[in-house]
Amino acid sequence: MSDSVQVPVVGEAFPAFTLKDAAGQGHSLPDFAGRYVVLYVYPKDDTPGCTREACDFRDNALLRERGAAILGVSADDADSHARFVEKFSLPFPLLSDPGAAFLRSIGSYGTKNMYGKVMEGIKRQTFLIGPDGRLVKSWLAVKVDGHADHVAAAIEKDRAAKGGN
């Protein structure tokens, strides 16, 4: 991965990545060809907002019905991810980006405002990638409540625009 920032652009191919889950298995975008991929970036395992977000993705029936692949990404290590997945029965992989190199490359790490304090860190963002590997929609300042529903609605809108059902 390069040190340059390539903020993903709607309609363009999503930047390549290979990141490992808690079991050490690598995941790359081509692994999910033909499916919608919800790549959600979150700051930290087992914190209140990140837990609500993960559980909302876990519980969203429309995302499951449409066969969307859900991938969470943070800088947490494999052990932290394993505990988080087990504690909340998350049926999707959480990918580790130690050092946040990939997250930096897509603009998901940098200056953010948290509770009025400006700091450097992981930004809560979501990228909806289409079955063709192109970015369908991005949310660059996610509000957790209702977010999974917004992502599911974006899949429905994209499917309708492409004549899907």
Side-chain angles (χ1 to χ4, degrees), residues 123-145:
K123 301 174 186 179
R124 188 182 307 278
Q125 299 181 335
T126 300
F127 302 95
L128 175 60
I129 304 159
D132 60 358
R134 296 183 180 280
L135 183 64
V136 172
K137 184 170 176 68
S138 59
W139 292 264
L140 302 180
V142 169
K143 301 235 183 298
V144 171
D145 295 329

Side-chain angles (χ1 to χ4, degrees), residues 44-128:
K44 185 125 184 80
D45 289 340
D46 207 6
T47 56
C50 296
T51 298
R52 279 197 335 269
E53 184 176 27
C55 291
D56 284 351
F57 279 122
R58 176 196 67 198
D59 298 341
N60 191 285
L62 188 55
L63 289 172
R64 280 194 313 276
E65 180 183 309
R66 291 301 185 205
I70 299 168
L71 304 172
V73 182
S74 79
D76 291 314
D77 65 23
D79 290 341
S80 177
H81 281 342
R83 287 189 303 273
F84 192 39
V85 164
E86 184 177 345
K87 184 175 181 179
F88 294 100
S89 301
L90 302 178
F92 49 81
L94 299 179
L95 307 179
S96 292
D97 184 19
F102 172 67
L103 296 174
R104 288 176 200 278
S105 77
I106 61 170
S108 294
Y109 187 99
T111 304
K112 65 181 191 174
N113 189 330
M114 190 166 165
Y115 306 115
K117 183 179 176 187
V118 176
M119 60 190 334
E120 289 286 308
I122 295 174
K123 301 174 186 179
R124 188 182 307 278
Q125 299 181 335
T126 300
F127 302 95
L128 175 60

